Amino acid sequence: MNPHRINRVVPESGQESVWDYPRPPRVEKSADRVVVTLGGLVIVDTDDAIRVLETSHPPVYYLPRSAFREGSLEPAAGRSSCEYKGEASYLSVVAPGRRAQSAGWYYPSPARGFEELRDRVALYPGRMDLVTVNGETVLPQPGDFYGGWITSRVVGPFKGAPGSLGW
């Protein structure tokens, strides 16, 4: 499908369209308050986030590794590659009585232009009990690969839904 023929949602005041995000992606600082809960325990509560914005994708928030509750991140098997950001390694997120296998990723040596991602972790919001941005519950990006965070601030359609592979 031609991305120019997609029925884009027109953003209202205060909203962003993921179709206005750039490719290659842009990295931007965010003062949004992000709270992540797993196993009934807050494992992150920070206002020091970085958003990565890429055409057709909801933002992915990267959180400082130092903001995570001690012992909540463990190395996990697997690697993936992004043509822009570089090689990613995976992390499991753990809390008492709960383990989210390979629910986070990071770039040990981010590619040029993405150095701000060093020492930051992104999470799949659908694998956590609750993720909020400024008090609003985050919805996960459709599909089982992408890790975008959907809030009322962004409109799509979003890549990851059935039929969007060619976008």
Side-chain angles (χ1 to χ4, degrees):
M1 173 181 276
N2 181 339
H4 299 289
R5 297 177 67 198
I6 294 168
N7 291 324
R8 301 175 188 188
V9 176
V10 176
E12 296 179 8
S13 178
Q15 290 184 315
E16 305 168 348
S17 170
V18 298
W19 292 95
D20 293 331
Y21 291 164
R23 189 165 177 88
R26 178 175 74 235
V27 175
E28 72 175 27
K29 287 264 195 200
S30 172
D32 293 333
R33 181 173 180 209
V34 175
V35 179
V36 179
T37 304
L38 183 70
L41 188 67
V42 172
I43 59 166
V44 178
D45 185 343
T46 186
D47 61 2
D48 178 15
I50 289 180
R51 295 190 323 154
V52 173
L53 310 176
E54 182 175 359
T55 305
S56 77
H57 296 268
V60 174
Y61 283 75
Y62 285 78
L63 312 173
R65 188 183 281 261
S66 61
F68 283 78
R69 185 178 181 88
E70 188 174 334
S72 64
L73 298 174
E74 295 180 354
R79 290 179 124 30
S80 62
S81 181
C82 171
E83 64 184 303
Y84 302 112
K85 297 180 286 291
E87 287 287 319
S89 296
Y90 285 83
L91 296 164
S92 292
V93 184
V94 296
R98 184 92 156 73
R99 176 182 200 78
Q101 188 67 32
S102 300
W105 70 94
Y106 68 101
Y107 293 91
S109 299
R112 188 170 160 191
F114 293 89
E115 294 89 352
E116 289 181 83
L117 300 182
R118 188 179 321 279
D119 297 323
R120 291 183 175 270
V121 175
L123 299 170
Y124 290 103
R127 298 185 191 176
M128 301 295 104
D129 292 344
L130 179 66
V131 176
T132 63
V133 173
N134 296 327
E136 180 182 349
T137 299
V138 171
L139 300 175
Q141 182 173 3
D144 59 358
F145 179 74
Y146 301 110
W149 296 30
I150 300 172
T151 64
S152 61
R153 179 179 177 181
V154 296
V155 296
F158 307 112
K159 185 168 183 155
S164 67
L165 184 62
W167 291 359

